Amino acid sequence: MKFEECSKMKKTVLISGSGSGMGLLTAQTLIREGYAVYAGVRDPHGRSSARREALEAFAKECGGYVRVVDLDIHSQEPCNAAVEQVVADHSTLDVVIHNAAHLFIGMAEGFTAEQLADSLNTNAVGAHRLNRAALPHMRKQGSGVLLYVGSGITRIVSPFMMPYVAGKYAMDAVAEATAYEVGPLGIETVIVMPGVFMDGTSHFATAVFPADEEAAGGYDKLQEEFNRYEPGLRNLFRNGCDAPVQGVADEIARVLSLPRGSKPMRTTVDYSDYGAEPVNSVAQAQTERVFRIMGFDRLLQLG
């Protein structure tokens, strides 16, 4: 597709972790919606070449636009390069979607400090790196959207995946604290909080397990609960309802289509009975109360 054609599209969007799962479905959905999609994957002309080719074929088939960019959020340079590519092609970067994530499963003590650091690096620090690349352009524009794919697990903490929970908590903190600072500059923030999704992503298939097997093995008394974890999560689904991962991508497309200034800071996508919404409501009310007492009313205007 020629530049003149893609410049007429709705908006530009850069997505991290676009190779599979929620990120891939989001990229495909926004391609169909008419966005100029920059799909971030690692090594798109090497180990991820098949994913790149599949996305390019998808865009061609539906008459959309995609450019698969090399985006490794573990380093600042690829983040800078991906953002600069979008700006060079379109002169604007409208949306950044932080989707890259990695799951960790096992007893907390069994994970080494390095494994915990790896989770924080992937699930939180990477989002900050990408923000540092994108925000100078968005500040100059006086507009933009930072959208984070978070998790309901930051509201109701689960056992047996401590590094993942810590990483998602950290990303949530990065998202919310940054939101109050960039909102008055015209930059909106949305935290999409998926609930329980057992199928349809590569999370469980690529999960990381404790490196210190000896320490993890000291929790035999909890083996019954550990074995019950998956069926216990499935018990949260009433009447055996499905949890289509496409629902996350559809919600992302929905909130991005909302007029400027009307996007929610948090929105949940949950087909189970996990229930992060009540916690969100209380946290929002308390935040607004404290901010008004402190004289931070303007910081509540998130874009």
Side-chain angles (χ1 to χ4, degrees):
M1 185 175 291
K2 296 180 181 179
F3 173 77
E4 304 88 69
E5 295 173 322
C6 67
S7 66
K8 297 176 183 177
M9 295 184 180
K10 288 184 179 178
K11 289 182 178 179
T12 58
V13 55
L14 173 62
I15 310 171
S16 69
S18 299
S20 62
M22 294 176 184
L24 175 59
L25 291 173
T26 298
Q28 292 173 334
T29 300
L30 295 182
I31 288 169
R32 287 195 300 266
E33 291 284 323
Y35 288 79
V37 174
Y38 284 70
V41 299
R42 287 192 284 180
D43 195 14
H45 295 279
R47 64 175 180 171
S48 298
S49 59
R51 291 174 172 176
R52 172 182 56 80
E53 292 167 0
L55 261 175
E56 290 171 346
F58 177 88
K60 183 177 181 180
E61 183 178 347
C62 65
Y65 178 92
V66 70
R67 184 162 186 168
V68 182
V69 293
D70 192 351
L71 179 54
D72 183 354
I73 59 168
H74 296 101
S75 178
Q76 189 65 52
E77 288 185 6
C79 294
N80 294 345
V83 168
E84 292 299 336
Q85 186 66 69
V86 181
V87 175
D89 290 349
H90 302 273
S91 301
T92 183
L93 172 59
D94 298 303
V95 182
V96 171
I97 297 178
H98 297 290
N99 173 75
H102 210 137
L103 182 62
F104 291 69
I105 299 176
M107 300 297 176
E109 186 185 342
F111 289 105
T112 64
E114 290 74 18
Q115 287 184 299
L116 175 57
D118 285 343
S119 179
L120 292 169
N121 195 19
T122 298
N123 293 304
V125 180
H128 181 59
R129 289 191 185 99
L130 193 51
N131 278 349
R132 281 177 49 79
L135 282 172
H137 299 282
M138 290 184 169
R139 285 191 285 104
K140 184 178 180 180
Q141 295 166 184
S143 65
V145 179
L146 301 176
L147 188 147
Y148 304 79
V149 180
S151 175
I153 209 168
T154 61
R155 295 311 201 195
I156 302 171
V157 175
S158 292
F160 310 131
M161 52 176 67
M162 180 275 290
Y164 179 71
V165 175
K168 282 296 188 180
Y169 248 103
M171 188 185 77
D172 195 279
V174 168
E176 185 167 343
T178 302
Y180 298 126
E181 299 171 12
V182 302
L185 306 181
I187 301 164
E188 298 176 285
T189 294
V190 178
I191 304 171
V192 177
M193 303 176 71
V196 180
F197 287 88
M198 304 295 294
D199 307 297
T201 75
S202 61
H203 256 20
F204 289 94
T206 61
V208 177
F209 299 95
D212 188 342
E213 296 180 2
E214 182 178 355
Y219 288 81
D220 291 344
K221 290 183 179 180
L222 294 182
Q223 193 62 45
E224 180 181 347
E225 285 79 10
F226 184 79
N227 292 343
R228 192 187 299 142
Y229 193 66
E230 180 177 345
L233 287 174
R234 293 190 184 278
N235 284 343
L236 290 169
F237 292 91
R238 303 295 176 130
N239 303 317
C241 70
D242 293 328
V245 179
Q246 179 63 42
V248 177
D250 291 342
E251 179 64 4
I252 289 172
R254 184 191 73 82
V255 296
L256 290 180
S257 71
L258 296 175
R260 179 173 174 173
S262 65
K263 297 178 183 63
M265 183 174 185
R266 293 182 184 274
T267 180
T268 60
V269 184
D270 194 359
Y271 301 91
S272 76
D273 200 22
Y274 203 72
E277 294 90 343
V279 186
N280 286 343
S281 297
V282 172
Q284 180 180 344
Q286 288 298 96
T287 298
E288 291 175 357
R289 181 185 70 84
V290 170
F291 274 36
R292 291 198 167 106
I293 292 171
M294 296 176 68
F296 284 176
D297 302 63
R298 191 162 68 99
L299 304 188
L300 294 170
Q301 300 172 5
L302 303 176

